Amino acid sequence: MKKLKFYAIGFVPGLLIVFFILNKKGASCSGYLPNSRVIAESLSKEFKYSEEAKNAMATYKIDEKFIKDSIITNGKVDFDRSHAQKKPCPDYLLTYPEKNPSYEITYEKCEETVTVNSLKKLK
């Protein structure tokens, strides 16, 4: 029991110190999940749009900024309906927002570029 007390006396303050240091630097663990990694990789590449996507964007009055800053950044990748292992360019289906999705977007993530293939309004 004595060992457990000494362990807790050192462990808890150590955790708090590490938490405050990492929090101050803006570090987070959320970037390690598959959804976050796919989105972060996608946003780091140059975006291109297919004709179908451009027509849908015009129809729904959506600009490129909304697609990148809202739909892709805050979307949820549907890995069941995506082809993440496809070579050379995996394609993903993403829904936005995460709960009660109103948009569905498909895109291909290649080495240098991301090509948005389609955009659908679900509601």
Side-chain angles (χ1 to χ4, degrees), residues 2 16 27 31 33 53 60 65-66 70 77 89 92 103 108 115-116 121-122:
K2 247 184 185 180
L16 292 173
L33 298 174
Y60 304 134
K65 184 174 178 11
F66 182 75
S70 295
V77 177
C89 301
Y92 297 97
Y103 291 102
E108 221 173 45
T115 304
V116 177
K121 193 165 189 170
L122 302 175

Side-chain angles (χ1 to χ4, degrees), residues 58-106:
T59 302
Y60 304 134
K61 296 181 175 82
I62 293 176
D63 61 351
E64 293 178 21
K65 184 174 178 11
F66 182 75
I67 287 181
K68 287 175 83 173
D69 294 347
S70 295
I71 295 177
I72 292 181
T73 302
N74 300 316
K76 172 95 169 107
V77 177
D78 186 346
F79 286 101
D80 292 335
R81 294 168 50 198
S82 298
H83 301 101
Q85 303 303 319
K86 184 177 149 194
K87 299 287 183 198
C89 301
D91 58 79
Y92 297 97
L93 186 135
L94 187 134
T95 56
Y96 169 83
E98 206 169 315
K99 294 181 180 173
N100 301 322
S102 50
Y103 291 102
E104 185 176 272
I105 191 170
T106 58

Side-chain angles (χ1 to χ4, degrees), residues 2-123:
K2 247 184 185 180
K3 288 181 182 180
L4 186 61
K5 286 181 186 175
F6 283 122
Y7 178 77
I9 288 171
F11 184 71
V12 172
L15 267 179
L16 292 173
I17 290 169
V18 169
F19 173 75
F20 285 116
I21 289 172
L22 290 179
N23 200 21
K24 198 172 196 177
K25 290 184 177 187
S28 75
C29 295
S30 65
Y32 293 108
L33 298 174
N35 190 68
S36 301
R37 288 194 340 220
V38 168
I39 289 172
E41 278 182 30
S42 299
L43 290 171
S44 69
K45 300 181 186 304
E46 178 189 344
F47 272 70
K48 294 182 179 180
Y49 299 89
S50 70
E51 284 304 313
E52 181 185 344
K54 287 179 184 177
N55 293 337
M57 289 166 61
T59 302
Y60 304 134
K61 296 181 175 82
I62 293 176
D63 61 351
E64 293 178 21
K65 184 174 178 11
F66 182 75
I67 287 181
K68 287 175 83 173
D69 294 347
S70 295
I71 295 177
I72 292 181
T73 302
N74 300 316
K76 172 95 169 107
V77 177
D78 186 346
F79 286 101
D80 292 335
R81 294 168 50 198
S82 298
H83 301 101
Q85 303 303 319
K86 184 177 149 194
K87 299 287 183 198
C89 301
D91 58 79
Y92 297 97
L93 186 135
L94 187 134
T95 56
Y96 169 83
E98 206 169 315
K99 294 181 180 173
N100 301 322
S102 50
Y103 291 102
E104 185 176 272
I105 191 170
T106 58
Y107 66 92
E108 221 173 45
K109 182 176 63 88
C110 295
E111 198 161 316
E112 301 283 327
T113 61
V114 168
T115 304
V116 177
N117 294 323
S118 71
L119 171 70
K120 291 182 199 170
K121 193 165 189 170
L122 302 175
K123 294 179 183 176

